[in-house]
Amino acid sequence: MSGARRGVQALTIAYAHHKKGPQTGTRLSDLPARFRLFGVPISSTTYEATTQLVVVKARAREPLCITSLAVHGLVLAARDAEFRAAMESFDVVAPDGHPVRWLLNRAHAQSLPDRVSGTDLMESICAACAVNGVGIYLYGSTDYVNARLRRALETRFPQLRICGAEPSLFRPLTPTEDGELVDRIHRSGAGVVFLGLGCPLQERFAYAHRRLLTPVQVCVGAAFDFLSGNKARAPLWMQTHGLEWIHRTVQEPRRLWWRYLSTNTGFLWLLLWHRW
């Protein structure tokens, strides 16, 4: 059983017996410690700790911004000052992808046993939301994928309340459209909004709406495709050895070959020349 699966099981048990009342005010002590990789703040956290934080804040109706950065996102943030500034405002920037976790452990003497991938984190949060009565909202991808995702989540977590789902328009929203989206999310009663817009669009969305949306915003990248069964995940051995990017490139070569070539090369370059 993977670390993420164990986390889902442990959290389901823990939250079923959770007696603590809602907390108010996100304090610095609530958040995991952050360390800089190439100038980008990365949180030293786990599936369990991140899921617990999400559910507690969602129940208290306190906004929170969470993402997981793999090599691609880390290099983008290191290169782009505006994107890096947005990451500074996030409450949790978890290490997605084992290379980011390995570097965090080595550079800052951490001992994280596993990465925190967007897909497994979404699954973990959904499990905890199901037993706590926290509703979720899905924003991103297409109607087709969202319909499959809803069915998959409802089958896996029968108690999970899915308050709404809508696709990306694959273009910037007008001010009117944006305001209507925010209103729909609030009226849905969801405590968590999963953003499946892809990096960095989803992080830019969460950053722009950090003071407009009360529900916790969780950026989960390709999780909509993977959890819906629309796309197959890499074999576990490829995930464990930091090779998931190869599997994804084979699946979508035209879209992803340049992304991974440029950012993986950039990651190696930063490793060679960066001083901690």
Side-chain angles (χ1 to χ4, degrees), residues 37-42 67-88 93-97 99-100 198-204 219 221 245 248 256 259-260 262-264 266-267 270:
L37 298 179
F38 314 137
V40 182
I42 302 295
T67 191
S68 297
L69 291 188
V71 166
H72 169 243
L74 177 61
V75 172
L76 285 182
R79 290 173 171 173
D80 185 332
E82 183 181 353
F83 186 44
R84 187 165 62 252
M87 293 300 92
E88 294 284 354
V93 182
D96 189 348
V100 180
C199 178
L201 295 179
Q202 59 196 12
E203 286 81 11
R204 297 190 192 282
C219 303
W245 64 274
R248 294 197 61 194
L256 297 178
R259 170 202 283 192
Y260 288 127
S262 62
T263 54
N264 287 2
F267 182 72
L270 287 168

Side-chain angles (χ1 to χ4, degrees), residues 171-182:
R171 60 165 174 79
L173 301 179
T174 67
T176 298
E177 290 170 337
D178 192 270
E180 290 172 347
L181 171 62
V182 169

Side-chain angles (χ1 to χ4, degrees), residues 6-271:
R6 286 195 299 272
V8 169
Q9 185 180 61
L11 283 163
T12 300
I13 296 171
Y15 283 116
H17 297 87
H18 188 63
K19 303 295 184 182
K20 197 172 183 178
Q23 300 177 13
T24 57
T26 301
R27 302 181 302 273
L28 185 61
S29 59
D30 294 330
L31 305 177
R34 290 149 64 103
F35 302 90
R36 294 195 178 274
L37 298 179
F38 314 137
V40 182
I42 302 295
S43 304
S44 181
T45 190
T46 62
Y47 291 108
E48 293 88 345
T50 305
T51 299
Q52 180 177 0
L53 178 65
V54 168
V55 173
V56 168
K57 296 305 177 184
R59 291 178 64 199
R61 305 301 296 177
E62 295 180 13
L64 206 67
C65 286
I66 292 177
T67 191
S68 297
L69 291 188
V71 166
H72 169 243
L74 177 61
V75 172
L76 285 182
R79 290 173 171 173
D80 185 332
E82 183 181 353
F83 186 44
R84 187 165 62 252
M87 293 300 92
E88 294 284 354
S89 77
F90 270 60
D91 300 285
V92 177
V93 182
D96 189 348
H98 287 291
V100 180
R101 176 184 68 89
W102 294 333
L103 183 57
L104 184 65
N105 283 348
R106 183 176 180 83
H108 296 289
Q110 298 300 291
S111 56
L112 294 178
D114 200 358
R115 63 174 179 165
V116 182
S117 79
T119 301
D120 291 328
L121 179 61
M122 181 174 178
E123 190 177 20
S124 176
I125 292 171
C126 285
C129 285
V131 298
N132 279 273
V134 175
I136 68 168
Y137 202 97
L138 308 171
Y139 178 56
S141 195
T142 65
D143 277 325
Y144 171 76
V145 171
N146 284 342
R148 294 191 61 174
L149 179 59
R150 287 192 71 141
R151 289 195 296 271
L153 292 177
E154 288 168 351
T155 299
R156 180 76 190 277
F157 309 110
Q159 293 177 286
L160 181 63
R161 185 163 52 94
I162 302 176
C163 301
E166 57 184 284
S168 167
L169 296 181
F170 297 97
R171 60 165 174 79
L173 301 179
T174 67
T176 298
E177 290 170 337
D178 192 270
E180 290 172 347
L181 171 62
V182 169
D183 185 55
R184 286 193 297 274
I185 292 173
H186 281 149
R187 285 190 288 106
S188 76
V192 175
V193 179
F194 288 110
L195 302 175
L197 302 171
C199 178
L201 295 179
Q202 59 196 12
E203 286 81 11
R204 297 190 192 282
F205 179 94
Y207 175 71
H209 293 80
R210 66 195 186 283
R211 295 190 179 92
L212 299 175
L213 284 173
T214 301
V216 174
Q217 297 184 83
V218 186
C219 303
V220 294
F224 284 28
D225 277 323
F226 293 142
L227 293 181
S228 68
N230 189 52
K231 292 179 183 175
R233 292 191 75 179
L236 186 59
W237 71 266
M238 294 186 79
Q239 295 183 44
T240 303
H241 290 85
L243 299 174
E244 192 168 12
W245 64 274
I246 297 177
H247 179 84
R248 294 197 61 194
T249 301
V250 171
Q251 285 185 317
E252 301 180 81
R254 295 182 63 182
R255 186 174 76 88
L256 297 178
W257 78 269
W258 176 249
R259 170 202 283 192
Y260 288 127
L261 176 63
S262 62
T263 54
N264 287 2
T265 302
F267 182 72
L268 294 175
W269 181 262
L270 287 168
L271 280 177

